[in-house]
Amino acid sequence: MAGPTQDALYAEIDLELSWSEDELPQVERTKYVHSLHPYLGKYIPQLVEVFLKRYFAPGSRIYDPFVGSGTTLVEANVFGADALGCDISAFNCLLSQVKTARYSLGELELALRGALEGARRNPGATTQNVTPWLRQWYAPGALSELLAYREAIERLEARHADVARVILSRAARSARLTTHFDLDFPRSPTTEPYYCHKHKRTCRPVEEAWKFLLRYTTDTVRRIRQFASVRSDRDVAVLHADSRNVILPSQPTGVITSPPYPGLIDYHEQHRYAYELLGLRDRRDEEIGAAAGGRSRSALAAYVEAMSEVFDNTASQLACDGCVLIVVNDSHGLYPAILENAGLILEERVTRHVNRRTGRRKGEFFEDVLVCRAA
Ligand SMILES: C[S@@+](CC[C@H](N)C(=O)[O-])C[C@H]1O[C@@H](n2cnc3c(N)ncnc32)[C@H](O)[C@@H]1O
């Protein structure tokens, strides 16, 4: 590991990770590309920022075996480190790639406006050959607009098309037949007017997607521009793979990650619309700790085995003396065994109080930061 910087020495005396809403308002937690697309279960960028300053130096190579929406990669890049991420979810890889790719900003904006224009000139895209799921979750007009945009994207060059796919997915999320207050976990389509807890009045299910495509195109360009003004030219790579057995293309000097918790979130299912619309490869069978697998004794045992494999595989490819930072809510007390199985030694444990990590859920929520090193 590279030696500590001046900032790191300062951070050592002042490791405060439980920010209140006033200290760390939403606008800061969602700055630049961090909120390019909704994602349930990510950590806040400021946490990664503190870790980087405390445990690493610019020029390090940081690996995240559960890259999710790419928070680690984005912050590592701003810090001046190379970054490497792996995820089993194709959509999460797409999102991380789009956030961290370098663009010619003028060309990107022109391409995205061109895609909107192309879709607007072709509003009658056929909804005949779509999956039953799409037909069930969208009003016909909204679906037709999403499909017209999808067709227009095909004419863009690959890097621009990927950005447009993220815009399409975000618009598809907003345009589902669901209530305004249940965008995270809608169980069944809402087709009739309903009383809206968010707006305190009767609302109607969405019937169009166009306004979202327009709004998110503008927002995406703005966020990518903001990121371009703070980013470094360090390398970023994203691997669509299972972190239990992935072979890394280069040796990381450290790890910053937050693994999935057992039985809490289905990471593929939360972006189902993206898989349905973009035809992404579904690898949910390889997702560790998926909510669908529950929290039975055997599910927890499988989780320990899978996580042990991930951290063993990670540690075996890490530079000598590399630092491994794991953010977990270990309410089942599984991590002592996982660390031991993977040959990691716990050097420090910091507990932090989390605010609003997972949308509309109630109650107090704590998580630990495990600071480890390979044995
Ligand atoms: C808690 S989230 C990570 C969130 C991330 N820290 C962020 O800020 O966006 C856990 C991630 O682990 C991924 N995952 C689950 N099983 C995996 C596996 N076998 N290999 C790689 N990634 C996996 C999920 O797809 C999910 O994106």
Side-chain angles (χ1 to χ4, degrees):
M1 190 183 76
T5 60
Q6 240 354 79
D7 272 347
L9 293 173
Y10 175 73
E12 219 157 45
I13 332 164
D14 186 19
L15 190 66
E16 173 52 74
L17 302 176
S18 305
W19 299 278
S20 68
E21 179 66 29
D22 283 351
E23 287 163 336
L24 196 52
Q26 190 180 4
V27 63
E28 283 299 316
R29 303 195 305 266
T30 58
K31 61 186 175 179
Y32 36 83
V33 286
H34 286 299
S35 50
L36 210 57
H37 189 288
Y39 178 98
L40 207 63
K42 62 182 170 192
Y43 48 29
I44 54 172
Q46 286 74 17
L47 201 55
V48 180
E49 211 178 316
V50 170
F51 295 159
L52 286 163
K53 287 183 177 165
R54 184 175 191 202
Y55 297 101
F56 302 98
S60 309
R61 180 173 299 116
I62 307 298
Y63 172 51
D64 187 344
F66 300 110
V67 78
S69 66
T71 313
T72 306
L73 305 188
V74 169
E75 288 306 314
N77 178 275
V78 173
F79 180 66
D82 290 334
L84 199 54
C86 173
D87 207 285
I88 201 66
S89 152
F91 178 73
N92 297 350
C93 291
L94 171 72
L95 180 57
S96 298
Q97 243 150 17
V98 163
K99 284 183 178 180
T100 51
R102 262 192 291 257
Y103 306 95
S104 159
L105 297 171
E107 284 175 21
L108 174 67
E109 183 160 8
L110 266 181
L112 295 177
R113 299 274 166 218
L116 281 175
E117 189 52 31
R120 204 176 56 83
R121 273 194 261 109
N122 176 30
T126 176
T127 58
Q128 261 168 9
N129 295 323
V130 297
T131 63
W133 190 93
L134 288 172
R135 219 183 284 285
Q136 193 193 7
W137 278 90
Y138 293 93
L143 186 53
S144 177
E145 287 163 3
L146 293 170
L147 295 175
Y149 186 74
R150 186 177 73 176
E151 263 179 47
I153 288 175
E154 281 164 20
R155 294 188 280 277
L156 302 183
E157 73 169 68
R159 188 167 287 217
H160 299 158
D162 280 347
V163 181
R165 286 189 183 100
V166 170
I167 294 172
L168 173 62
S169 170
R170 191 173 169 194
R173 180 180 184 274
S174 300
R176 283 170 302 171
L177 287 173
T178 179
T179 58
H180 290 136
F181 54 87
D182 194 16
L183 285 161
D184 285 343
F185 300 114
R187 286 185 203 287
S188 53
T190 301
T191 52
E192 299 296 327
Y194 58 92
Y195 180 74
C196 180
H197 300 293
K198 187 172 170 193
H199 300 114
K200 310 270 179 265
R201 58 178 158 80
T202 299
C203 287
R204 303 180 65 80
V206 178
E207 287 177 358
E208 60 149 333
W210 188 245
K211 66 178 176 196
F212 299 117
L213 288 166
L214 285 173
R215 187 185 304 162
Y216 299 152
T217 296
T218 303
D219 185 66
T220 297
V221 169
R222 182 177 64 85
R223 289 183 180 280
I224 290 178
R225 276 191 189 281
Q226 284 172 345
F227 182 51
S229 69
V230 292
R231 66 167 303 150
S232 69
D233 60 1
R234 304 301 303 198
D235 288 343
V236 184
V238 180
L239 308 162
H240 182 206
D242 187 331
S243 50
R244 281 171 281 202
N245 48 37
V246 65
I247 296 172
L248 303 178
S250 51
Q251 187 178 48
T253 43
V255 172
I256 303 180
T257 194
S258 69
Y261 302 158
L264 191 66
I265 295 176
D266 288 313
Y267 285 95
H268 278 79
E269 189 59 25
Q270 73 159 295
H271 301 121
R272 175 76 179 263
Y273 42 88
Y275 286 85
E276 297 278 346
L277 268 172
L278 301 175
L280 301 171
R281 182 174 166 207
D282 190 321
R283 294 177 69 172
R284 71 180 65 203
D285 291 351
E286 295 164 87
E287 199 181 300
I288 302 170
R295 288 179 217 171
S296 62
R297 194 184 294 211
S298 65
L300 296 183
Y303 178 87
V304 170
E305 192 183 331
M307 280 301 160
S308 303
E309 284 178 45
V310 170
F311 287 108
D312 184 32
N313 184 39
T314 301
S316 72
Q317 298 182 69
L318 191 63
C320 186
D321 203 30
C323 182
V324 179
L325 296 164
I326 311 171
V327 180
V328 287
N329 174 343
D330 192 17
S331 53
H332 299 283
L334 308 177
Y335 272 79
I338 291 170
L339 299 186
E340 192 182 334
N341 294 343
L344 289 173
I345 294 171
L346 181 66
E347 290 195 335
E348 196 182 354
R349 175 192 287 260
V350 185
T351 299
R352 79 178 212 100
H353 185 199
V354 185
N355 294 320
R356 286 192 201 87
R357 190 185 153 99
T358 48
R360 274 167 55 87
R361 289 172 187 209
K362 294 196 180 78
E364 298 283 281
F365 191 74
F366 292 88
E367 60 190 10
D368 282 334
V369 181
L370 310 178
V371 184
C372 313
R373 236 170 260 280

